[in-house]
């Protein structure tokens, strides 16, 4: 893994990101650890986090509780935890079993790369803290953790808290591979020089922003179609469009509408450019990795066409749906960004409550409606690199663990992972 994509203070003090310093992004991650590194943490203070429940599972007083049932055994299974670059893995947690009868038990187990689960412990009466070293065969792999309870009464319970995965070695080296050239800092421009065509798109009135040397070294570039807010156009987002393109994305933007049909038309047009021998992007675009996103009205248009089958993810900045039904169209993971001084945040809050797909939501400190995209642009960069460029480590590192890269920008919530 890289230097945990440390958000260097020297970069954040630049004019382009000075607002992020005020929000506490600088120094959000510690420096390289000399001994034990925390790879993953979940204390259930914001719900079940990355854990998926089955059976009777609830959270209260900052812990997860599994209850017995005659119908379905209760269990909690984590999302994949990426250990790329790490070695010397250990798992710890606290647990308390209560009321279990002879013949009943709770079990804690782990799975490597989606394989069968291996038991760490199985007991009827254990309580307190537990810690286990995983075998070297786990190093650098992907693991899931599972807590399960085999009991027949709702009065028989297992309480779980303070789940930690640590590593004794590795981590702050080269980033795990993705489909784009790796970077060590998502707040900085990416490795690509950028070119802009301001007369692009189906109506020759959109902006196409992309790496100037697209396709170099065989790279195929993912796609972001971006909708500006009402009363604005792509020029108002130029620095952000450039930022995303510098990281290797082909970005298209035009004046938005509450209908997202223009986004679908734009994607069709981009596919045509990829297939056209006369296009500067001929066969350089990865049309299987596509995101729609937008600010304010652009977010509303994104909700409108979020069921487009070619999408991998959607991004919604300061643009909750007016009727609360926008999330009904979501089929893929979604990013929500709001601001603590943004009038649209209550609508985003309502959309978050009604979202059934995996979603990550931040309310940025010191941010109004207009500033939300600019203040959140690096969150979007990391999100795109996660969902479109196969940098799976970012899920844990940048978004889901308790000390994640973007945890300190403001209020943070997530669910359904």
């Amino acid at each position: 893994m890289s230097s945990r994509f440390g958000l260097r203070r020297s970069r954040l003090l630049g004019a382009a990101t000075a607002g992020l310093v005020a929000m506490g992004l600088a120094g959000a991650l510690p420096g390289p650890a000399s001994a034990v590194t925390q790879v993953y943490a979940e204390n259930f203070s914001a719900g079940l986090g990355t854990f998926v429940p089955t059976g009777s599972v609830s959270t209260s007083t900052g812990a997860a509780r599994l209850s017995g049932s005659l119908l379905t055994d209760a269990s909690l299974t984590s999302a994949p935890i990426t250990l790329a670059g790490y070695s010397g893995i250990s798992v710890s947690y606290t647990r308390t079993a209560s009321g279990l009868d002879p013949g009943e038990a709770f079990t804690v187990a782990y799975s490597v790369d989606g394989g069968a689960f291996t038991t760490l412990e199985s007991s009827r009466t254990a309580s307190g803290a537990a810690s286990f070293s995983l075998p070297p065969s786990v190093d650098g792999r992907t693991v899931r953790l599972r807590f399960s309870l085999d009991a027949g009464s709702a009065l028989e319970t297992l309480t779980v808290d303070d789940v930690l995965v640590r590593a004794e070695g590795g981590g702050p080296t080269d980033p795990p591979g993705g489909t784009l050239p790796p970077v060590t800092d998502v707040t900085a421009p990416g490795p690509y020089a950028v070119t802009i065509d301001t007369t692009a798109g189906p109506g020759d009135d959109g902006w196409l922003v992309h790496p100037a040397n697209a396709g170099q070294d065989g790279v195929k570039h993912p796609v972001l179609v971006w909708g500006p807010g009402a009363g604005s156009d792509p020029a108002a987002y130029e620095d952000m469009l450039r930022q995303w393109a510098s990281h290797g994305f082909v970005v298209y933007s035009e004046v938005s509408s509450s209908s997202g049909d223009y986004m679908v038309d734009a994607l069709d047009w981009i596919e045509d450019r990829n297939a056209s021998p006369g296009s500067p992007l001929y066969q350089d675009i990865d049309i299987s990795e596509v995101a729609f996103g937008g600010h304010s009205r652009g977010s509303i248009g994104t909700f409108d066409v979020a069921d487009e089958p070619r999408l991998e993810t959607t991004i919604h900045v300061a643009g909750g749906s007016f009727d609360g039904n926008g999330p009904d169209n979501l089929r893929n993971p979604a990013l929500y960004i709001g601001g603590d001084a943004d009038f649209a945040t209550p609508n985003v809050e309502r959309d978050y409550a009604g979202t059934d797909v995996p979603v990550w939501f931040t309310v940025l400190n010191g941010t109004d409606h207009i500033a939300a995209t600019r203040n959140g642009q690096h969150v979007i960069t990391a999100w795109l690199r996660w969902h479109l460029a196969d940098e799976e480590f970012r899920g844990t590192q940048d978004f889901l663990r308790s000390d994640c890269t973007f945890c300190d920008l403001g209020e943070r919530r997530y669910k359904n992972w």
Side-chain angles (χ1 to χ4, degrees):
M1 192 171 284
S2 74
S3 57
R4 304 175 76 188
F5 297 83
L7 306 179
R8 297 191 293 274
R9 186 177 300 274
S10 60
R11 293 192 183 281
L12 291 169
L13 290 177
T17 57
L20 288 170
V21 175
M23 297 192 296
L25 181 55
L29 288 178
S34 59
V36 176
T37 300
Q38 180 175 291
V39 179
Y40 174 84
E42 182 56 66
N43 61 14
F44 302 106
S45 61
L48 295 178
T50 67
F51 280 85
V52 177
T54 60
S56 180
V57 179
S58 62
T59 56
S60 62
T61 62
R65 173 168 292 186
L66 290 69
S67 300
S69 170
L70 293 174
L71 300 177
T72 304
D73 288 345
S75 69
L76 275 176
T77 305
S78 74
I81 300 167
T82 300
L83 303 175
Y86 287 103
S87 60
I89 308 302
S90 64
V91 175
S92 64
Y93 49 87
T94 61
R95 78 284 195 241
T96 301
S98 177
L100 274 64
D101 296 325
E104 298 177 330
F106 73 86
T107 301
V108 183
Y110 70 94
S111 167
V112 180
D113 292 343
F117 279 87
T118 300
T119 298
L120 291 174
E121 69 166 334
S122 184
S123 177
R124 180 172 69 89
T125 60
S127 65
S131 182
F132 299 88
S133 295
L134 301 187
S137 58
V138 172
D139 295 351
R141 311 287 284 278
T142 296
V143 301
R144 291 178 182 263
L145 303 177
R146 185 176 68 190
F147 299 84
S148 57
L149 176 64
D150 179 7
S153 168
L155 299 178
E156 297 165 332
T157 62
L158 172 68
T159 301
V160 180
D161 202 358
D162 298 325
V163 180
L164 296 174
V165 177
R166 295 184 176 99
E168 293 183 354
T173 55
D174 292 333
T179 58
L180 295 177
V183 298
T184 58
D185 185 353
V186 293
T187 73
Y192 290 99
V194 172
T195 187
I196 299 179
D197 178 359
T198 60
T199 58
D204 298 328
D205 55 357
W207 283 33
L208 183 66
V209 190
H210 62 85
N213 55 338
Q216 182 174 312
D217 298 323
V219 171
K220 300 289 187 181
H221 300 274
V223 176
L224 169 63
V225 178
W226 181 259
S232 62
D233 57 22
Y237 299 81
E238 179 174 351
D239 57 327
M240 292 157 272
L241 304 180
R242 285 182 175 274
Q243 166 76 3
W244 299 326
S246 77
H247 277 261
F249 300 96
V250 171
V251 185
Y252 177 84
S253 182
E254 65 176 77
V255 173
S256 68
S257 67
S258 295
S259 165
D261 290 344
Y262 74 96
M263 292 180 148
V264 176
D265 292 342
L267 181 55
D268 291 341
W269 179 85
I270 290 169
E271 288 190 342
D272 287 344
R273 300 287 76 72
N274 187 59
S276 173
S279 165
L281 295 175
Y282 175 56
Q283 294 186 348
D284 292 333
I285 303 173
D286 187 348
I287 58 175
S288 69
E289 300 288 355
V290 179
F292 287 174
H295 173 224
S296 192
R297 187 170 69 183
S299 165
I300 294 169
T302 299
F303 274 126
D304 182 54
V305 290
D307 57 356
E308 160 61 46
R310 290 172 289 182
L311 291 179
E312 291 293 311
T313 186
T314 60
I315 298 165
H316 307 266
V317 181
S321 59
F322 292 124
D323 57 8
N325 294 325
D328 292 347
N329 285 338
L330 295 175
R331 300 292 181 268
N332 299 287
L335 171 65
Y336 292 173
I337 297 175
D340 60 355
D342 177 17
F343 61 83
T345 294
N347 285 353
V348 185
E349 299 260 6
R350 181 178 58 185
D351 285 339
Y352 176 83
T355 298
D356 296 324
V357 301
V359 57
W360 193 88
F361 175 29
T362 185
V363 180
L364 300 174
N365 293 334
T367 299
D368 62 13
H369 190 71
I370 300 300
T373 304
R374 181 161 285 104
N375 289 352
Q377 65 177 304
H378 306 312
V379 180
I380 296 171
T381 302
W383 184 268
L384 292 172
R385 296 191 71 101
W386 176 15
H387 289 282
L388 300 188
D390 299 330
E391 293 181 352
E392 297 298 330
F393 69 93
R394 293 195 177 277
T396 300
Q397 172 185 288
D398 290 349
F399 293 94
L400 300 179
R401 76 184 183 198
S402 60
D403 64 340
C404 72
T405 306
F406 301 113
C407 284
D408 295 332
L409 297 184
E411 181 184 352
R412 173 191 66 134
R413 300 177 223 169
Y414 55 86
K415 62 181 181 179
N416 303 325
W417 294 98

